[in-house]
Amino acid sequence: MPLTLYNTLSRKKEVFEPLHPDRVRMYVCGPTVYSHSHLGHAKSYVAFDVIVRHLRFLGYNVLYVQNITDVGHLTDDADQGEDKLAKQSRIDRVHPMQLADTFTRSYYDDMDALNVLRPDIAPRASGHITEQIALVETLLARGLAYEVNGSVYFDVPHYAGYGKLTHRTIDDMATGTRIEVKSEKRHPADFALWKRADPGHIMRWPSPWGEGFPGWHVECSAMSMKYLGESYDIHGGGLENQFPHHECEIAQSEGATGKPFVKYWLHNNMVTVNGQKMGKSLGNSITLKEAFDRWTPAVVRFFVLQSHYRSTLDFSSEALEGAAKGLEKLVNTIRNVQSAAGAGTTGTPSGIDLEKHHQAFVEAMNDDFNSPLAIASLFDLSREVNQALARGTPLAQAELKSIEVFYMKHAGDALGLAIGTSGDHASAHSIEPELLSLFITLRAELRKEKLWGLSDRIRDGLLALGIVLEDKKEGTTWKRAPQG
């Protein structure tokens, strides 16, 4: 089946047809770097990482841009409150850019641990002030914005397309909006493109309207169009970004260019904790570094991929423990395949149809990037592989190698799962399977000679190193001991 994806803009699944054959241009809203990343970031960026990986798996040339927000994101996600960086820098008593650099490094450390591919371009908002000012000037020239006391606002009632993403009217959006006592806006739905800097505001830049800083919404339009063009294929972000952020992006981008901004809008759902929305204000937010203290990043990634990107992901210790066991089962199958291949025994074909499993995997991912179903297809293969290994008849070396390559390509490259032998992102060419196969062979010979003491020393020594040997009717296999 062809690749289909759910387009928030049309609210239905559509067959994916990029603007240019074989090329995909994709932008995803990156983090606002004022604190450490949490599980919600894992949900979002693992999801979009898999989307990028699958597009490349299908043969597309993907240019992936993900920004860093280090200025302009106000605390109420709209036009009121303080800049999030400025507020946190005052609390920590450090310069906002020091804070931004610290948490940008922290973010990439966490994403690297999760095996999330780095974006091809990672622009920072503070490094693209010129482009944002130019966009604001274009909107002013087109009569879609107005300046008041050094601030510039988008004139929503004068743009007919506002609301096309969320399918809400201007009146709907204005309902419940808190209007400032001394509001400079002409209409409650108007949003800031440029904000005047108060005397004590550290992050400030010169502009035609005086010193100030850009609004949060304008940065993504300016940076994405700079690197991907005025119209591009995919824009992604969290479900909570649909309004106002993405709605405003569309208005200001299409208002400035007169062209369609983005063809496909993809939104990932949120993380809940025992059924309740996760958030700092609720006291149930869990940073990735805290999660990594209890579970490996590989387990956290596997946990995220067990839910569809458009579904909520409910966090609990039990769910993570379940994910750890599931990943271990998958990895153990791969290790046993590697061990069998390392033994070098000439065998016979098992009859496993790898093409059938490939088609099942691709069909799952082509159905709006259904990673849970794709993982299920890998377990289907593992069941057949384990049954074949358990028969006691050695498998053909060529087939064992093909099975190993299949896992490396589908589980490793496409899903980014930790399928190396060391439990993290070890190389597929690790010699660990061969070493363990040698130990298992030596132990079998010792047991045949009834040298039980030496046999037990090998078993106990490996256990002390975290390797469990399992003696079965069909032979001895190994797995890594559960953590914690």
Side-chain angles (χ1 to χ4, degrees):
M1 64 177 291
L3 173 61
T4 60
L5 46 79
Y6 184 85
N7 189 355
T8 308
L9 195 63
S10 64
R11 293 189 175 181
K12 64 181 181 181
K13 286 185 181 180
E14 300 178 12
V15 174
F16 179 64
E17 296 178 348
L19 296 172
H20 303 283
D22 302 324
R23 295 173 53 205
V24 178
R25 299 298 176 257
M26 177 171 167
Y27 183 89
V28 170
C29 290
T32 301
V33 285
Y34 68 101
S35 62
H36 290 299
S37 301
H38 50 69
L39 279 172
H41 292 105
K43 165 73 171 172
S44 180
Y45 299 119
V46 167
F48 287 111
D49 177 63
V50 168
I51 288 172
V52 170
R53 285 173 179 270
H54 185 61
L55 289 167
R56 289 173 175 161
F57 184 85
L58 295 177
Y60 288 108
N61 177 348
V62 182
L63 176 57
Y64 179 31
V65 180
Q66 182 193 113
N67 72 301
I68 293 291
T69 296
D70 57 2
V71 65
H73 191 171
L74 302 188
T75 52
D76 72 346
D77 290 353
D79 296 329
Q80 300 174 41
E82 296 180 84
D83 183 289
K84 291 188 175 184
L85 265 293
K87 178 181 178 180
Q88 192 63 43
S89 71
R90 189 184 71 254
I91 294 172
D92 293 349
R93 302 176 70 85
V94 298
H95 194 283
M97 285 300 124
Q98 178 184 346
L99 193 77
D101 282 345
T102 296
F103 289 118
T104 297
R105 289 193 295 270
S106 173
Y107 167 73
Y108 282 125
D109 285 345
D110 290 341
M111 294 301 111
D112 289 346
L114 288 168
N115 202 24
V116 170
L117 301 173
R118 294 282 182 104
D120 299 305
I121 302 175
R124 289 174 63 149
S126 62
H128 294 76
I129 300 298
T130 300
E131 290 84 356
Q132 293 173 74
I133 289 175
L135 179 56
V136 175
E137 288 180 316
T138 298
L139 292 169
L140 283 166
R142 287 178 172 266
L144 292 173
Y146 57 92
E147 184 267 335
V148 181
N149 298 325
S151 293
V152 182
Y153 297 92
F154 188 90
D155 195 344
V156 168
H158 280 77
Y159 178 71
Y162 196 72
K164 65 166 59 179
L165 181 67
T166 53
H167 303 271
R168 299 160 70 185
T169 67
I170 295 176
D171 290 338
D172 290 337
M173 297 174 190
T175 301
T177 300
R178 179 164 59 89
I179 302 175
E180 301 165 83
V181 175
K182 296 181 179 179
S183 176
E184 299 174 327
K185 299 180 182 180
R186 296 176 181 173
H187 189 278
D190 293 350
F191 58 90
L193 300 168
W194 184 265
K195 292 284 284 186
R196 176 184 65 255
D198 294 330
H201 203 282
I202 297 175
M203 293 185 290
R204 55 199 304 139
W205 290 265
S207 79
W209 319 286
E211 290 199 338
F213 57 94
W216 174 37
H217 313 308
V218 75
E219 69 177 64
C220 286
S221 290
M223 291 188 291
S224 67
M225 289 194 292
K226 176 181 176 66
Y227 297 108
L228 300 177
E230 293 177 339
S231 299
Y232 55 91
D233 300 294
I234 298 173
H235 192 312
L239 196 65
E240 70 280 2
N241 289 151
Q242 287 186 50
F243 181 82
H245 188 46
H246 292 161
E247 197 71 78
C248 294
E249 277 192 67
I250 293 173
Q252 64 202 8
S253 301
E254 297 187 354
T257 68
K259 302 175 183 178
F261 179 41
V262 173
K263 188 172 183 180
Y264 303 99
W265 285 86
L266 307 184
H267 291 93
N268 67 278
N269 216 317
M270 66 183 71
V271 174
T272 58
V273 179
N274 295 319
Q276 184 182 33
K277 180 181 178 181
M278 189 184 76
K280 289 185 178 181
S281 61
L282 299 174
N284 63 356
S285 180
I286 301 164
T287 70
L288 287 173
K289 288 175 173 53
E290 291 170 339
F292 295 162
D293 285 340
R294 296 188 59 186
W295 302 282
T296 66
V299 168
V300 174
R301 182 182 180 98
F302 189 70
F303 168 65
V304 170
L305 292 180
Q306 285 182 308
S307 85
H308 191 273
Y309 79 94
R310 288 195 292 114
S311 300
T312 57
L313 176 65
D314 191 52
F315 168 85
S316 69
S317 296
E318 294 76 15
L320 264 296
E321 295 299 339
K325 292 177 182 177
L327 180 60
E328 185 67 14
K329 288 180 181 179
L330 188 62
V331 171
N332 278 339
T333 300
I334 299 167
R335 288 172 180 156
N336 291 331
V337 168
Q338 292 171 329
S339 294
T345 305
T346 302
T348 57
S350 69
I352 293 174
D353 187 352
L354 289 180
E355 179 60 27
K356 177 190 72 174
H357 292 287
H358 169 75
Q359 291 299 327
F361 181 92
V362 172
E363 284 187 16
M365 291 300 292
N366 276 358
D367 184 11
D368 195 28
F369 311 103
N370 193 330
S371 60
L373 194 56
I375 290 172
S377 75
L378 294 178
F379 278 112
D380 288 340
L381 171 61
S382 294
R383 185 164 47 254
E384 288 190 31
V385 170
N386 288 327
Q387 289 171 350
L389 292 173
R391 292 184 191 126
T393 303
L395 300 186
Q397 290 294 303
E399 182 179 25
L400 289 168
K401 186 60 180 177
S402 295
I403 293 171
E404 182 182 0
V405 169
F406 184 98
Y407 279 115
M408 295 302 167
K409 182 178 178 181
H410 295 74
D413 295 342
L415 294 182
L417 294 176
I419 56 172
T421 55
S422 65
D424 49 19
H425 305 297
S427 167
H429 304 292
S430 168
I431 65 170
E432 189 177 31
E434 288 83 356
L435 288 174
L436 287 168
S437 178
L438 177 61
F439 277 121
I440 289 171
T441 300
L442 289 173
R443 181 170 172 268
E445 293 176 0
L446 291 171
R447 286 162 63 86
K448 186 176 182 180
E449 297 295 327
K450 298 185 179 180
L451 297 173
W452 309 115
L454 290 175
S455 169
D456 291 346
R457 283 183 63 184
I458 291 176
R459 179 199 63 200
D460 297 341
L462 289 174
L463 181 61
L465 295 173
I467 301 297
V468 177
L469 296 185
E470 295 184 328
D471 296 318
K472 302 176 181 179
K473 179 176 62 177
E474 62 274 5
T476 300
T477 60
W478 67 275
K479 69 177 183 180
R480 193 163 295 280
Q483 297 186 353

